[in-house]
């Protein structure tokens, strides 16, 4: 193969185990180029030495492709374009053989056979450019450790410049930090201009994602640039501490939540009228027109388990918000366990979809669309021991980003509420009325002079 250099990525990574791994890779990094297979293999991390030997030596890689029926001496072999050490192991770019299709590489049997041949725990495959596939040889899970977040330290400005804008309070509404990506970079979630679906089985970390979004938006909430409307049909146990403080609206039963959504639709339509009259195509949040963030935890309680009339009204109202809200700075974040069409009939209207651990392979397609597993999203293979890990897909992209949301403890939830709740108006009396007698009508003061 044409191997000019072996690249070792660098960057900020959280967790002592991952940091040690990166330091080891940096120590054994091989610079170019006139090296033998034995030197390459000796320089590789012990867990990757068999893989490095196979990838460096074309004769060995050809034997592997023939053994796995991915190539043959009579019809040719796939071309290993390049391979790079990564934080999780090795990524290999392969140009497929003419006549092959992506599913020849991405099916689970082939990935299992590749893992056995490379002597690594896991191999995943995903399409990249046309006729190319990326093999990820994984010996280390960079997202195996939970990532606690300090939502308070350095996050609040006591006095923001005038006028108050997202920039002035240190929040980019199109890049909200909610966790860490697999390569160690921050997971930045586009909130403004999106509609966001979070799907995952019980215990998959949906609450961590929702709390991380709210925490990431905290300074903008405190400044009045974001209004959070919280729908918690599970009774309020998860988000009740923010009622009447962090959230401008809060509902725990179907009737109240549907009333909230109806009010939100009315406000959205009024905004759209003002935008049309002023020639505004996209609303940027301000104190007069804040971003309306409508969070619906366990949406199935309204879409499937409420009364028939309530189900129909929820579907109608949520459809209006999802289809019309993006331009008007109205964002819906819906979380659910079952991503089926019956549970979330408007799921195609979500532009950002976060698939956490799911029970069935078919559910990955329900969240991310047909062919999602072939493009790298394996939500059904996420471990129960890693809540908050998921695959993020966005409209306009074909690939997926593997991420982990911050772990937000109960204490951190309380800190979010205490730190970012907007100041409440002072309704206390301005004067001392402690000696006021409500029965004293002033009758004993005599006539009042004209």
């Amino acid at each position: 193969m044409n191997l000019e250099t072996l690249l070792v990525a660098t960057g900020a990574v959280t967790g002592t185990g991952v940091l040690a791994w990166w330091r080891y890779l940096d120590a054994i990094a091989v610079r170019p180029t006139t090296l033998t297979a034995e030197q390459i293999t000796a320089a590789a991390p012990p867990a990757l030495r068999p893989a490095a030997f196979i990838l460096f030596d074309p004769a060995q890689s050809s034997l592997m492709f023939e053994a796995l029926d991915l190539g043959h001496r009579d019809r040719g072999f796939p071309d290993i374009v390049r391979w790079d050490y990564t934080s999780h192991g090795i990524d290999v770019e392969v140009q497929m053989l003419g006549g092959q299709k992506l599913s020849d590489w991405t099916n689970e049997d082939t990935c299992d056979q590749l893992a056995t041949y490379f002597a690594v725990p896991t191999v995943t495959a995903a399409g990249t450019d046309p006729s190319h596939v990326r093999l990820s040889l994984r010996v280390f899970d960079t997202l195996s450790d939970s990532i606690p977040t300090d939502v308070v330290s350095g996050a609040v400005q006591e006095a923001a410049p005038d006028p108050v804008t997202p920039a002035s309070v240190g929040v980019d509404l199109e890049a909200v930090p909610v966790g860490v990506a697999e390569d160690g970079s921050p997971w930045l979630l586009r909130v403004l201009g999106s509609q966001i679906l979070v799907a995952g089985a019980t215990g998959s970390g949906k609450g961590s994602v929702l709390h991380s979004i709210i925490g990431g938006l905290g300074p903008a909430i405190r400044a009045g640039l974001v209004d959070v409307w919280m729908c918690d049909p599970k009774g309020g146990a998860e988000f009740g501490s923010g009622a009447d403080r962090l959230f401008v609206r809060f509902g725990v039963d179907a009737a109240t939540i549907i009333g909230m959504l109806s009010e939100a639709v009315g406000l959205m339509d009024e905004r759209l009228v003002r935008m049309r009259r002023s020639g505004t195509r996209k609303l940027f949040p301000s104190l007069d027109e804040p971003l309306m963030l409508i969070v619906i935890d366990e949406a199935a309680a309204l879409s499937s388990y409420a009364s028939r009339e309530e189900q129909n009204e929820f579907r109608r109202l949520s459809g209006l918000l999802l289809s019309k809200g993006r331009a008007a700075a109205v964002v819906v974040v819906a979380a659910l366990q079952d991503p089926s069409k019956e549970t979330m009939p408007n799921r195609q209207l979500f532009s950002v979809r976060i698939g956490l651990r799911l029970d069935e392979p078919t559910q990955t397609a329900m969240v991310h669309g047909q062919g999602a597993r072939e493009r790298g999203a394996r939500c059904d293979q996420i471990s129960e021991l890693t809540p908050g890990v998921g695959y993020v897909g966005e409209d306009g992209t074909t690939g997926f980003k593997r991420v982990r949301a911050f772990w937000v403890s109960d204490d951190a939830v309380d800190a979010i509420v205490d730190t970012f709740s907007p100041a409440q108006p002072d309704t206390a009396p301005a004067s001392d009325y402690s000696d006021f007698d409500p029965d004293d009508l002033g009758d004993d003061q005599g006539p009042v002079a004209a």
Side-chain angles (χ1 to χ4, degrees):
M1 62 176 286
N2 295 324
L3 181 64
E4 295 183 354
T5 185
L6 301 180
L7 301 179
V8 179
T10 57
V13 187
T14 303
T16 56
V18 180
L19 186 59
W21 174 257
W22 277 92
R23 286 173 175 165
Y24 181 76
L25 286 181
D26 206 30
I28 57 87
V30 180
R31 310 305 173 186
T33 69
T34 57
L35 300 170
T36 66
E38 289 74 16
Q39 289 172 317
I40 290 289
T41 303
L48 291 171
R49 284 173 183 167
F53 179 70
I54 293 167
L55 291 168
F56 184 79
D57 187 344
Q60 295 299 323
S61 58
S62 295
L63 285 174
M64 177 186 68
F65 289 140
E66 188 163 14
L68 302 186
D69 200 27
L70 293 171
H72 194 273
R73 67 194 68 183
D74 293 334
R75 63 178 188 270
F77 295 98
D79 180 26
I80 297 178
V81 179
R82 63 177 293 150
W83 55 283
D84 305 301
Y85 288 116
T86 68
S87 58
H88 57 257
I90 294 177
D91 276 354
V92 187
E93 294 290 338
V94 180
Q95 183 175 16
M96 295 183 287
L97 196 61
Q100 289 183 335
K101 54 186 182 295
L102 184 60
S103 59
D104 294 333
W105 292 81
T106 58
N107 71 79
E108 290 189 42
D109 286 343
T110 299
C111 289
D112 289 344
Q113 291 169 354
L114 286 166
T116 300
Y117 209 105
F118 283 124
V120 297
T122 306
V123 172
T124 60
T128 53
D129 297 328
S131 78
H132 287 74
V133 63
R134 177 182 294 118
L135 305 178
S136 294
L137 283 56
R138 299 176 181 275
V139 296
F140 192 92
D141 185 359
T142 60
L143 300 177
S144 61
D145 296 330
S146 62
I147 308 158
T149 179
D150 184 352
V151 297
V152 179
S153 178
V156 180
Q157 288 182 239
E158 292 301 324
D162 188 26
V164 176
T165 65
S168 73
V169 296
V171 176
D172 184 348
L173 300 178
E174 296 181 333
V176 178
V178 294
V180 175
E182 186 174 36
D183 62 3
S185 63
W187 172 21
L188 302 177
L189 181 64
R190 179 187 178 96
V191 175
L192 178 63
S194 298
Q195 307 293 357
I196 302 168
L197 177 65
V198 184
T202 300
S204 62
K206 295 187 296 297
S208 293
V209 176
L210 298 182
H211 284 300
S212 294
I213 293 173
I214 294 170
L217 290 169
I221 296 171
R222 185 177 187 270
L225 291 167
V226 175
D227 284 349
V228 181
W229 299 44
M230 176 58 66
C231 307
D232 189 359
K234 293 188 296 186
E238 180 93 18
F239 297 95
S241 61
D244 302 321
R245 297 184 63 196
L246 190 66
F247 311 134
V248 298
R249 301 287 189 280
F250 185 76
V252 298
D253 59 80
T256 303
I257 292 172
I258 288 172
M260 288 167 50
L261 298 181
S262 180
E263 180 186 0
V265 168
L267 293 175
M268 175 187 69
D269 287 341
E270 292 174 3
R271 281 188 177 183
L272 291 170
V273 170
R274 289 193 295 271
M275 291 170 63
R276 183 179 71 248
R277 289 175 177 172
S278 64
T280 303
R281 300 182 63 182
K282 179 180 179 180
L283 181 68
F284 291 94
S286 65
L287 293 179
D288 293 330
E289 303 264 34
L291 183 148
M292 293 171 55
L293 184 73
I294 302 170
V295 181
I296 307 172
D297 188 25
E298 198 46 65
L302 300 165
S303 63
S304 298
Y305 309 136
S307 69
R308 179 65 62 183
E309 293 77 12
E310 290 169 336
Q311 289 179 40
N312 291 336
E313 186 65 359
F314 171 75
R315 296 180 182 191
R316 184 184 75 85
L317 294 170
S318 62
L320 290 171
L321 292 167
L322 290 168
S323 60
K324 299 167 63 176
R326 292 172 67 177
V330 177
V331 177
V332 176
V333 180
L336 46 80
Q337 294 184 36
D338 176 11
S340 67
K341 193 72 172 178
E342 292 73 21
T343 302
M344 198 67 213
N346 299 315
R347 67 187 185 193
Q348 76 281 0
L349 297 176
F350 290 94
S351 57
V352 176
R353 305 181 187 191
I354 304 168
L356 305 175
R357 177 176 57 81
L358 294 168
D359 294 326
E360 302 291 339
T362 54
Q363 292 180 321
T364 299
M366 293 177 187
V367 176
H368 288 306
Q370 294 299 321
R373 298 184 85 255
E374 287 73 21
R375 289 179 281 122
R378 302 291 177 91
C379 300
D380 54 291
Q381 295 181 355
I382 297 173
S383 170
E384 294 181 357
L385 302 178
T386 56
V389 170
Y391 293 88
V392 181
E394 297 188 30
D395 282 357
T397 63
T398 57
F400 300 94
K401 178 180 289 188
R402 186 169 178 264
V403 299
R404 186 165 191 173
F406 292 127
W407 173 63
V408 185
S409 66
D410 290 344
D411 288 342
V413 170
D414 292 338
I416 290 173
V417 174
D418 292 339
T419 304
F420 298 130
S421 294
Q424 301 298 316
D426 185 3
T427 58
S431 302
D432 183 8
Y433 294 100
S434 57
D435 59 349
F436 174 71
D437 182 0
D439 296 324
D440 183 4
L441 302 179
D443 297 339
D444 57 351
Q445 296 180 2
V448 178

